[in-house]
Amino acid sequence: MANRRARSEASSEFSNEYDLTDEHSDEELLDDSPTRSPSLLTVGDVHRALHPLQATADRVGRQVEQFAEQLDRLDVRKKTKRHEDCRDVLPLVQRFERIAADTVKRLKKIHEPERQEKSKKTLKHRLRNSSGKLTPISIHEDDDEKLSRQTTVEDLHRWELERQTWDLLGNILQVDYPTHESVHTSSKDVTNLLRPTRDSTVHRYSSEHAVWSRFLAEDDHAWKKHVIVEWLKRSADRSGDDVDFVVDQLESSAERGSGLWAHGWLYSKEVIKGQKRLRSWPQALDPNSPGIDSAMINSDGTTGVITQLDPDAVTRQGRNLEKQDMSFERATWLVCWDMVRRGRSWDSIREWCQDRVELWRAASMHGDLRNTSGQGSNDGISLATAWQSRALWRRMCAASAENGGLDEYESAVYGVLSGYLPSVEKVGRTCDDCLFAHCNAALLDRFELYIRRLFPERIPRSLETRKISDVSMVGGSAPLSLSDLMDRRQNLDAIKEEAQSPHKMLQGSLITRDFATFIVAQGITLSASANAGKRSKIIASMSARLGDVGVTSTITPGDRDLLRILTHIIFIFQDLGVDIAVGEDRYAFENIIVAYVDYLSKAGKQHLLPLYASRLSSTRAHECMGRQLPFITDLRERRTVMKLMEQYNMNVLRVLNMQLTAIILDTPPDFQNTAACPNLSILGQEMPNPHVRAIRNGFIGPTMTGDEQDLINGFEWYMLLDGHWQDTMDIGTVLYKHFLHTRSLAAARHLSRTVSFSTISLNKTEAILGRSIDINKTRGAGEDDLFDQSCTFRDLECLFLALDAMERWADISGSARAQMDPRHARAWKSSMQNAHNEVESAVEPLLQGWLQQPRGDVEAHELEQIRVACLPEIVLAYIGILNFDGFVLSREILLKCMNLAADIAKEDSDLASCFTEAGRMSELVDTLARTSQNILRAEESGAKSGKYRKVRNGETMALWTVKGAVN
């Protein structure tokens, strides 16, 4: 029962999982669902029917229920509608993202303060770090910092990653499986991608935004990278700290005090004013004035301070700012970088800069074609210059990113605007930053080539000057391909850990369109993880394929959220008609689905199992479902699950057969390879006369294994099948034979008690005959066929009923000495009489024609082996019982031994051959001889009393009275 206890403990563990979905979210998710057929149950209907009082008590993640609900409704829609584009599956992806977004929203209310405390340290480090190296950020939380709640900051981070993944998948689907422009759908919280069309004509005086739109419409590679860049911006905006929080933290870290953002270079300004007052100088200070170098020194006395406050004064004069102003400058550009990285509109950037009297910074960033303005223009460029090219502006930004600027964040801002790769890479801290840098650079570089090739007249002649044209837009090296970039991310020390996390590898596989390879590899490694230590019964080992796997991050059966994500992504691609893999590769990726089904079963979500299992390949679906059925013990749940299996077009009988076959194959190899049935072992050591040989107490055994209980639970499912009489009898016979071969007498006894032939007959005859009857007790002409089909099952049941009766008799007889007290002797003797009657009634069917109706030569040989292994031991044990009871109950009982000997000696007896085949005929003869001696002793006692009780056919013990001659 160890595995059943483990599953119970696992279910208890899952019952503590968090539930962060508000009570109305289910209804909100269903608002835009199409009307479903009333004849088809959804998983929500089933769950409410099975657990009407557990809505508030169920603590297993409601997200699991919501995902299943949406998947189920997609199945309903598929029955009536199918398209080759993504219009059917896109709403499902959007709802999945909404579920994740709602969860993130609720988790933020709990954990955002804690995360902000951690972010303060990170922001200070970013502000002070000027090494230009990537700054690694751990994606894991320390155990001692986790809240003592049901969720942690790590849960918030994980759900943010999940929301990113669903957003990415929705974008990828719309890129690779676009819908026609006339059928675009709208969905709350999710923006559909609308790719620019080629309808409009681009001419010399068209705005550059129109050229950009035409570029995206014509260039498929550019459109894909544009979608990725925009997704990265949204992800950074949604998962990062709020900009206002970043500003507050940077202000406190800039060593200038609070409320001084609008005062610019305050400390350097004071130094300049001091020198102008000292020199009575009305004009701007000339950096070449005599004595200025020694006078304009910073407070540390280490470097010269600028003499003017122009934005380019530092680079033009080769001087520095005061330390506090340098911190302010770095903080300002860091905020600008964050806003650009998040994809904030230029209006937002301008407003932020204007509030701090730094409008020149916003002006220098005004020109990105992708950034829309809220002032009546949809291209971010004023109407007066809308037709002019921004190529020169982008080249100047690239020059500034390469050579100018006080800080790497300033260079990074201009690098994003121009596509200058090195400056953006330099400040990257995460995998997404690295991907953003390359995709952004590749996109703008491709646009430059597009303009030069198709619209050369739009390139300003000033770009022909040597100083500007020599600036490389990508820093001397072309951006990597997406596949190469994914490989490179895993080798960068600063982001290696994050790049090798399952979520990032999943996102990378979607971006590179290599999801099939990724999911197959994950299925193989999941198999290795599941079979580590001991063989898994749920997921077969694929150790031979491990050498083909190149992934560095693997999924385990405990990664419940990731299993859910991967499972639903697989279904989405399958609904699009994508053949992810075939053959052994398909078996590998289906390990993911099987593991998720097992998680649902452990979490007590049995009503969801048919929905997910039905989407596996046919054989795997029935095998997977069969593995979970033994754990469903509630009758109502069994009926509901069976109805759902039929609804999802699963062959219920095949599932039931496969579940028992799988469990039998789990039997240890020593038992599987046993050709002959092992002999029964009932008798103990030989005892002094008159008892012959005693029966061992507890010879059946007290307990069953978990697999044996699962087999019996599995057989109980056949009671729910209408009809299928022969199938039920055959399976029951197989189980009894299996228990005999594996010496599992306790399991066989339990089967005979819980699923007896009478129970089966009463359950199934109503569907077959139109009335419910017990064929064992009442049988008419119409029931003969059913009776004949069940003969082997009934005979095997009789065997274990007899063994059970014998063990109970042994328990009672073993307490004989303790019951010799006259106060208890009568009660004990009554119990012995009842036990004797039960044994006699149970053994009687085994003594004539037992297991003599095989259905073929193979079964005949098998049944003969069982007879030889069982009958001799049972007959000898029965003789021992008769001997014992003949002395404690009635001497006439001993005569039954002689009658039994006579029956064995008959020509038509089938018992003698069993003793001969087993080599135990001499043992039988010896036992009967001892019985004869016991009869003589009993006769002597009876002769003295003069009392003889008649038994069968009028015989009495007087037959054995021997009188000597009278002298």
Side-chain angles (χ1 to χ4, degrees):
M1 302 296 288
N3 63 342
R4 187 162 300 278
R5 286 195 301 270
R7 180 160 291 245
S8 176
E9 293 167 359
S11 179
S12 175
E13 172 192 347
F14 293 124
S15 68
N16 293 324
E17 196 163 318
Y18 49 82
D19 178 5
L20 294 165
T21 307
D22 68 30
E23 58 183 340
H24 302 296
S25 57
D26 282 339
E27 288 72 12
E28 292 172 357
L29 288 172
L30 304 182
D31 286 344
D32 51 358
S33 298
T35 303
R36 55 185 173 86
S37 171
S39 63
L40 296 175
L41 294 175
T42 68
V43 291
D45 300 330
V46 172
H47 187 60
R48 284 186 287 272
L50 288 177
H51 305 285
L53 301 179
Q54 295 185 2
T56 58
D58 185 9
R59 298 302 299 169
V60 178
R62 291 268 320 269
Q63 293 82 3
V64 169
E65 294 278 357
Q66 289 178 329
F67 271 70
E69 188 82 23
Q70 301 309 315
L71 180 65
D72 194 31
R73 293 182 184 280
L74 176 63
D75 275 357
V76 173
R77 288 197 301 271
K78 284 199 308 178
K79 298 179 184 297
T80 58
K81 189 176 182 180
R82 181 77 181 183
H83 301 92
E84 295 181 357
D85 54 35
C86 68
R87 77 179 75 171
D88 289 334
V89 299
L90 185 59
L92 179 67
V93 176
Q94 293 171 341
R95 292 189 186 103
F96 288 167
E97 183 187 356
R98 287 171 54 191
I99 294 171
D102 289 342
T103 306
V104 168
K105 181 179 179 181
R106 288 162 179 79
L107 284 171
K108 277 189 173 182
K109 294 179 180 179
I110 302 173
H111 299 294
E112 190 64 17
E114 181 185 3
R115 184 163 70 171
Q116 287 181 351
E117 286 298 320
K118 297 177 182 293
S119 297
K120 290 178 182 179
K121 301 177 182 179
T122 303
L123 288 171
K124 291 179 180 178
H125 184 64
R126 291 175 65 188
L127 185 60
R128 294 170 183 171
N129 178 35
S130 58
S131 62
K133 298 180 180 179
L134 288 173
T135 305
I137 293 183
S138 174
I139 62 172
H140 303 289
E141 305 293 336
D142 297 331
D143 290 340
D144 57 353
E145 294 180 9
K146 291 182 179 179
L147 293 178
S148 57
R149 304 177 182 176
Q150 292 178 323
T151 59
T152 66
V153 174
E154 180 63 23
D155 294 316
L156 171 57
H157 176 71
R158 188 170 63 249
W159 277 99
E160 286 176 337
L161 287 174
E162 178 170 342
R163 183 186 185 185
Q164 293 176 16
T165 302
W166 291 122
D167 187 17
L168 172 63
L169 178 62
N171 288 323
I172 295 297
L173 294 180
Q174 293 179 83
V175 170
D176 294 347
Y177 306 93
T179 58
H180 191 271
E181 290 80 0
S182 61
V183 294
H184 282 300
T185 59
S186 59
S187 177
K188 181 181 179 182
D189 298 333
V190 178
T191 302
N192 287 311
L193 285 179
L194 295 177
R195 185 176 182 179
T197 63
R198 306 184 187 187
D199 297 338
S200 60
T201 301
V202 179
H203 48 80
R204 178 178 180 181
Y205 297 105
S206 297
S207 68
E208 188 143 332
H209 187 272
V211 178
W212 172 262
S213 297
R214 187 61 178 262
F215 163 66
L216 295 179
E218 295 179 354
D219 193 324
D220 291 338
H221 292 288
W223 173 242
K224 292 178 181 178
K225 284 186 169 57
H226 172 74
V227 170
I228 294 173
V229 169
E230 295 303 311
W231 166 72
L232 289 168
K233 290 178 179 179
R234 286 195 305 275
S235 298
D237 193 34
R238 290 169 174 172
S239 59
D241 295 313
D242 185 75
V243 172
D244 292 334
F245 170 77
V246 173
V247 170
D248 292 340
Q249 295 307 309
L250 292 179
E251 183 178 22
S252 63
S253 303
E255 303 178 8
R256 289 161 47 104
S258 60
L260 299 177
W261 276 99
H263 292 76
W265 296 337
L266 179 62
Y267 290 85
S268 299
K269 185 188 300 184
E270 289 301 318
V271 174
I272 295 173
K273 286 183 177 181
Q275 283 298 316
K276 293 178 71 174
R277 286 193 297 266
L278 183 63
R279 295 170 180 263
S280 299
W281 202 280
Q283 295 86 11
L285 290 177
D286 187 350
N288 298 319
S289 298
I292 199 71
D293 291 336
S294 59
M296 298 292 291
I297 300 296
N298 65 4
S299 56
D300 293 339
T302 57
T303 183
V305 177
I306 58 173
T307 63
Q308 299 168 5
L309 295 175
D310 298 328
D312 64 340
V314 176
T315 54
R316 178 166 48 82
Q317 295 182 1
R319 292 173 172 270
N320 290 322
L321 299 172
E322 280 284 3
K323 178 182 177 182
Q324 295 88 342
D325 293 334
M326 283 297 295
S327 296
F328 165 79
E329 185 73 6
R330 182 178 180 84
T332 303
W333 281 115
L334 178 54
V335 174
C336 291
W337 155 256
D338 272 357
M339 289 192 290
V340 171
R341 175 66 179 83
R342 295 164 187 251
R344 294 295 177 89
S345 67
W346 182 78
D347 281 345
S348 299
I349 298 174
R350 184 197 60 186
E351 182 179 355
W352 186 87
C353 293
Q354 187 173 10
D355 291 342
R356 288 151 182 82
V357 196
E358 297 286 336
L359 197 56
W360 68 269
R361 300 179 195 268
S364 68
M365 291 184 273
H366 190 198
D368 190 355
L369 295 170
R370 299 164 293 181
N371 208 338
T372 58
S373 170
Q375 297 185 355
S377 174
N378 62 358
D379 59 6
I381 306 172
S382 64
L383 295 177
T385 59
W387 62 272
Q388 295 177 345
S389 171
R390 308 296 292 178
L392 178 59
W393 174 81
R394 286 190 293 274
R395 190 58 59 92
M396 294 298 294
C397 288
S400 179
E402 181 181 24
N403 302 314
L406 301 180
D407 181 77
E408 63 263 25
Y409 287 107
E410 178 183 0
S411 298
V413 169
Y414 292 121
V416 171
L417 300 176
S418 63
Y420 185 73
L421 179 60
S423 66
V424 183
E425 269 195 312
K426 189 176 182 180
V427 300
R429 301 161 46 247
T430 65
C431 288
D432 287 355
D433 289 342
C434 180
L435 179 61
F436 175 79
H438 280 263
C439 289
N440 180 73
L443 179 61
L444 293 181
D445 184 56
R446 201 174 185 91
F447 181 60
E448 290 291 330
L449 295 175
Y450 177 82
I451 292 180
R452 288 180 178 275
R453 179 169 54 87
L454 297 181
F455 305 100
E457 69 280 0
R458 299 179 68 89
I459 305 297
R461 292 187 177 182
S462 56
L463 280 181
E464 302 302 323
T465 62
R466 176 178 176 81
K467 190 169 184 179
I468 299 178
S469 60
D470 284 348
V471 176
S472 172
M473 295 294 288
V474 293
S477 60
L480 298 174
S481 67
L482 292 175
S483 297
D484 292 340
L485 178 58
M486 296 305 162
D487 294 336
R488 180 174 180 267
R489 293 196 310 178
Q490 297 186 22
N491 296 318
L492 293 176
D493 292 337
I495 58 175
K496 179 189 299 185
E497 182 182 2
E498 182 188 7
Q500 294 177 358
S501 66
H503 277 284
K504 287 304 173 186
M505 294 190 66
L506 168 59
Q507 292 174 1
S509 70
L510 294 174
I511 291 172
T512 58
R513 275 61 171 182
D514 199 23
F515 177 74
T517 302
F518 169 79
I519 202 65
V520 169
Q522 290 296 330
I524 294 173
T525 56
L526 176 63
S527 169
S529 175
N531 288 276
K534 64 178 182 179
R535 185 179 72 88
S536 170
K537 298 177 182 179
I538 304 299
I539 301 176
S541 174
M542 301 185 71
S543 56
R545 294 287 308 276
L546 281 176
D548 303 336
V549 179
V551 297
T552 55
S553 177
T554 60
I555 187 174
T556 67
D559 296 329
R560 302 185 288 269
D561 287 333
L562 196 58
L563 286 174
R564 171 176 49 77
I565 297 170
L566 293 177
T567 296
H568 289 89
I569 293 178
I570 290 172
F571 293 161
I572 287 167
F573 279 116
Q574 288 178 335
D575 288 338
L576 284 169
V578 178
D579 291 329
I580 298 177
V582 295
E584 191 175 13
D585 284 348
R586 172 159 188 161
Y587 189 90
F589 82 72
E590 284 187 342
N591 286 339
I592 304 291
I593 305 172
V594 172
Y596 185 63
V597 171
D598 187 55
Y599 155 63
L600 293 175
S601 177
K602 291 177 179 177
K605 302 293 184 181
Q606 282 80 10
H607 59 287
L608 302 181
L609 304 185
L611 169 65
Y612 288 90
S614 65
R615 284 175 160 266
L616 293 162
S617 55
S618 178
T619 300
R620 197 77 187 274
H622 292 82
E623 177 186 344
C624 173
M625 198 66 207
R627 280 293 189 181
Q628 304 302 332
L629 292 189
F631 303 108
I632 306 175
T633 56
D634 181 78
L635 181 59
R636 282 202 307 163
E637 286 192 351
R638 283 178 172 176
R639 293 186 183 278
T640 301
V641 170
M642 185 169 285
K643 184 175 182 179
L644 287 172
M645 286 192 290
E646 294 173 349
Q647 178 176 313
Y648 293 116
N649 299 319
M650 299 185 74
N651 187 322
V652 176
L653 181 61
R654 185 181 178 190
V655 172
L656 299 184
N657 291 341
M658 291 192 74
Q659 68 157 331
L660 300 181
T661 301
I663 299 173
I664 290 175
L665 292 177
D666 291 336
T667 305
D670 291 344
F671 289 138
Q672 286 187 20
N673 299 331
T674 301
C677 179
N679 294 327
L680 286 180
S681 178
I682 303 175
L683 299 174
Q685 296 299 321
E686 188 170 342
M687 297 180 64
N689 284 330
H691 301 296
V692 194
R693 291 179 65 184
I695 295 178
R696 295 185 296 108
N697 288 329
F699 66 86
I700 290 181
T703 59
M704 300 179 293
T705 66
D707 285 343
E708 291 163 357
Q709 181 65 64
D710 290 344
L711 284 172
I712 296 172
N713 288 346
F715 186 54
E716 290 175 347
W717 283 83
Y718 286 82
M719 301 301 99
L720 305 179
L721 287 175
D722 291 334
H724 293 281
W725 176 268
Q726 186 67 67
D727 294 318
T728 305
M729 294 298 108
D730 290 345
I731 292 298
T733 301
V734 168
L735 292 187
Y736 277 128
K737 292 177 181 178
H738 172 72
F739 290 147
L740 273 174
H741 277 81
T742 58
R743 304 182 182 92
S744 305
L745 301 184
R749 175 175 60 184
H750 187 66
L751 176 61
S752 68
R753 291 176 176 176
T754 57
V755 195
S756 66
F757 175 77
S758 295
T759 301
I760 297 174
S761 179
L762 292 171
N763 270 278
K764 292 191 170 293
T765 51
E766 183 172 2
I768 300 173
L769 304 174
R771 64 187 187 279
S772 179
I773 62 172
D774 184 353
I775 300 177
N776 257 342
K777 300 178 179 178
T778 304
R779 188 170 82 253
E783 293 85 46
D784 287 343
D785 289 342
L786 300 181
F787 190 80
D788 292 341
Q789 292 171 5
S790 63
C791 60
T792 302
F793 176 82
R794 287 184 290 104
D795 285 350
L796 290 172
E797 181 181 277
C798 287
L799 168 64
F800 294 103
L801 291 175
L803 294 178
D804 185 33
M806 286 182 172
E807 188 182 66
R808 286 199 303 274
W809 178 91
D811 292 339
I812 297 173
S813 64
S815 61
R817 292 184 180 180
Q819 299 297 340
M820 288 301 101
D821 187 334
R823 294 173 298 177
H824 305 290
R826 179 175 295 181
W828 175 81
K829 195 169 184 178
S830 175
S831 298
M832 281 297 301
Q833 184 64 57
N834 293 335
H836 172 83
N837 295 338
E838 289 180 7
V839 170
E840 188 174 8
S841 175
V843 171
E844 191 69 27
L846 307 181
L847 301 180
Q848 182 65 38
W850 185 66
L851 292 182
Q852 294 282 18
Q853 299 184 48
R855 291 190 301 170
D857 294 339
V858 175
E859 188 179 32
H861 177 70
E862 185 179 12
L863 295 183
E864 184 61 26
Q865 286 186 325
I866 295 175
R867 286 169 48 80
V868 172
C870 299
L871 282 179
E873 187 78 357
I874 288 177
V875 170
L876 292 173
Y878 183 47
I879 293 174
I881 291 174
L882 294 178
N883 270 270
F884 185 90
D885 290 349
F887 282 91
V888 300
L889 297 177
S890 172
R891 292 185 301 274
E892 279 71 18
I893 293 177
L894 292 172
L895 291 178
K896 297 179 182 180
C897 296
M898 295 300 99
N899 294 330
L900 179 60
D903 291 338
I904 296 175
K906 290 180 180 179
E907 292 185 1
D908 60 346
S909 172
D910 53 24
L911 293 177
S913 60
C914 293
F915 278 93
T916 302
E917 185 69 23
R920 303 185 70 175
M921 182 60 76
S922 60
E923 186 179 355
L924 173 64
V925 173
D926 183 61
T927 300
L928 290 175
R930 295 189 181 189
T931 301
S932 299
Q933 295 176 358
N934 292 336
I935 292 176
L936 289 174
R937 293 188 185 95
E939 187 276 333
E940 293 177 357
S941 175
K944 294 178 181 178
S945 64
K947 297 179 179 180
Y948 297 99
R949 182 186 303 174
K950 292 184 179 181
V951 290
R952 188 177 66 172
N953 298 325
E955 302 105 336
T956 69
M957 292 290 292
L959 174 69
W960 293 84
T961 301
V962 179
K963 298 181 179 179
V966 179
N967 296 328

